[in-house]
Amino acid sequence: MSAMSSNNWDRRSILRATMGLAAAGGLAACGGNTGRSEGGASGKALTQYFHAYGEAGTQEAIKRYAKDFDGANVATQWITGSNFESKLFSALLTGNAPDVFEFHPQLQLIKSGQVAPLDDIINPVKDDFNPADIKSHTVDGKIYGVRMIDDPQFFFYRKSMLEKAGVDVPQTLEELAEAADKLTTDKVKGLFLGNNMVSTNYALVWAAGADQLNASNEIAYHTDEVAAALRLYRKMFTSGHLLLDAPADYWDPSALVQGLTAIQWCGMWAMPVMQKALGDDLGIFPFPAAASGAKPAVYNGGWSMFVNAKGKNVDLAKEYVKWLWIDQKKYQEDWALSYGFHVPPRVSIAESADKLKSGLPAEGVKLFTDYGRFDNINWTQAMITALEEVIADAVRKGVDPQKALDTADKKVNRELKKLFG
């Protein structure tokens, strides 16, 4: 379900962002249908916001779960398009704000009192969640948001294409650039990083041995190694070896499946569709090391459910979130494994997830375990945008990376000052 996350809404910007999907099987229809369920407690109503996942059956599943909740009629707003963040943030300022909504953990939502702490519903099962998911949703000892799915993102590749070109799986960013060159033909591009190339932002920073912020919440992404990685991205961008105009963005598996590219950045959510189309001709690898001594990186996008603390039905909304995302393990398992592959954040569900225990899915889980990195709750939407603009400037427009990073620094520091003084 796509992600990430992200981190942005070209996957779902983002994202993420990823982590939106319009892919793996056709976008479910939206239109004016609010998805209000029949039945439920008469007179009590809740509204939930979801971005339009690309995997077929997702919209129907969410509405089916909601219909089973006896405490209220739950209406689902299924937000299509590439600007879920802006639609959500705009709605939260109005009288028609959703009672619950999916998003990623971001500090400004907590500082502004927009989201309610959920310790009381999570604490009894806290030990059954991936500790990294709990940590990424915790501020001052309080937990905000219930994780629904974890979405590891990495590179998928066509084994036969690499073999034919005599290319080994890249171990460094330099080798990835060389592979893109060798794999490009008059019909196929060597590499697809997404149409605006921002989906790999975090992975690039981490693989260069840096981070978005340090432990003191100061800028940590502005390093010589990150600047060097951006120069290499620029070289790839101007080389003609990248797929830059795919019919669908990186979260959709069609670029690889249709043979438009030999290597594609995507998420584990798309693995079943890719496997069905490509069989054993499919491999995966993490974002390769981009600096001496640095580790490869896997970005863990994913989505969490939040309760609008400024809504009219906060207690009822919490009751619904607890019912669906804490108590109903069958629905949590269905959501994670039936419409694409996602790593269940609940340890007990992940341990019993047979679909992820062998073959390529198991390799994906191992990459997630070995190299997975999670969202930083202190990295906000404005900071996400600032880093995306670095790609636009340094990679697409040819601005010197250090200058592009300087520009981002001003915006990020302004945001950090607002949050931390």
Side-chain angles (χ1 to χ4, degrees), residues 12-49:
R12 306 131 81 88
S13 144
I14 237 245
L15 188 45
R16 243 172 134 303
T18 30
M19 169 190 227
L21 290 215
L27 215 53
C30 176
N33 177 13
T34 63
R36 181 169 299 290
S37 58
E38 302 301 324
S42 116
K44 291 186 179 178
L46 294 171
T47 299
Q48 59 181 354
Y49 269 29

Side-chain angles (χ1 to χ4, degrees), residues 171 203 205-209 286-298 370-371 373:
Q171 304 297 312
V205 168
W206 297 327
F287 193 100
S292 176
K295 285 184 180 173
V298 168
D370 292 349
Y371 304 118
R373 301 281 292 266

Side-chain angles (χ1 to χ4, degrees), residues 159-169 178-179 182-183:
K159 291 180 180 178
S160 58
M161 289 184 180
L162 268 68
E163 204 172 309
K164 188 177 175 187
V167 171
D168 293 328
V169 173
E178 289 164 12
K182 290 179 185 169
L183 290 162

Side-chain angles (χ1 to χ4, degrees), residues 137-400:
H137 289 67
T138 301
V139 175
D140 295 334
K142 291 185 187 298
I143 304 166
Y144 297 83
V146 178
R147 194 64 152 182
M148 300 182 294
I149 45 172
D150 283 326
D151 276 337
Q153 296 170 37
F154 28 66
F155 284 111
F156 291 78
Y157 68 96
R158 301 280 293 266
K159 291 180 180 178
S160 58
M161 289 184 180
L162 268 68
E163 204 172 309
K164 188 177 175 187
V167 171
D168 293 328
V169 173
Q171 304 297 312
T172 65
L173 189 59
E174 285 276 4
E175 288 180 10
L176 182 65
E178 289 164 12
D181 178 1
K182 290 179 185 169
L183 290 162
T184 298
T185 69
D186 55 351
K187 293 192 179 67
V188 179
K189 293 294 185 182
L191 177 64
F192 183 42
L193 293 167
N195 284 332
N196 60 9
M197 299 178 65
V198 300
S199 57
T200 54
N201 274 0
Y202 297 165
L204 180 146
V205 168
W206 297 327
D211 206 342
Q212 293 111 304
L213 302 170
N214 64 21
S216 304
N217 290 309
E218 299 159 335
I219 286 170
Y221 59 80
H222 192 157
T223 67
D224 290 345
E225 289 78 11
V226 169
L230 289 167
R231 280 189 200 97
L232 196 48
Y233 257 39
R234 170 66 181 172
K235 187 177 165 190
M236 286 196 270
F237 176 73
T238 57
S239 68
H241 306 145
L242 296 183
L243 177 64
L244 296 169
D245 52 0
D249 212 345
Y250 81 97
W251 36 259
D252 187 309
S254 57
L256 194 77
V257 167
Q258 293 171 11
L260 304 178
T261 186
I263 302 174
Q264 173 180 345
W265 182 259
C266 195
M268 197 153 145
W269 58 83
M271 197 180 274
V273 169
M274 290 189 187
Q275 285 187 298
K276 189 175 180 186
L278 302 173
D280 292 336
D281 192 29
L282 183 66
I284 55 174
F285 63 92
F287 193 100
S292 176
K295 285 184 180 173
V298 168
Y299 170 56
N300 176 45
W303 294 87
S304 308
M305 190 52 58
F306 295 89
V307 169
N308 179 6
K310 298 178 180 180
K312 302 182 187 87
N313 307 294
V314 176
D315 288 341
L316 184 59
K318 285 173 70 172
E319 189 185 318
Y320 172 62
V321 169
K322 177 183 183 296
W323 174 83
L324 180 51
W325 299 112
I326 301 286
D327 299 339
Q328 301 299 315
K329 281 196 171 184
K330 64 178 179 180
Y331 291 150
Q332 294 157 38
E333 183 174 19
D334 183 62
W335 189 238
L337 300 168
S338 296
Y339 312 96
F341 287 160
H342 314 265
V343 178
R346 297 287 290 272
V347 176
S348 57
I349 297 175
E351 284 175 350
S352 64
D354 290 340
K355 290 179 181 177
L356 305 182
K357 285 189 176 165
S358 61
L360 205 63
E363 282 183 48
V365 172
K366 181 162 181 11
L367 290 183
F368 170 67
T369 304
D370 292 349
Y371 304 118
R373 301 281 292 266
F374 289 64
D375 281 315
N376 182 336
I377 199 167
N378 298 328
W379 187 255
T380 66
Q381 204 62 35
M383 300 180 201
I384 289 168
T385 302
L387 198 58
E388 288 180 352
E389 287 167 355
V390 170
I391 297 292
D393 291 342
V395 179
R396 300 178 77 91
K397 295 177 189 167
V399 173
D400 178 82

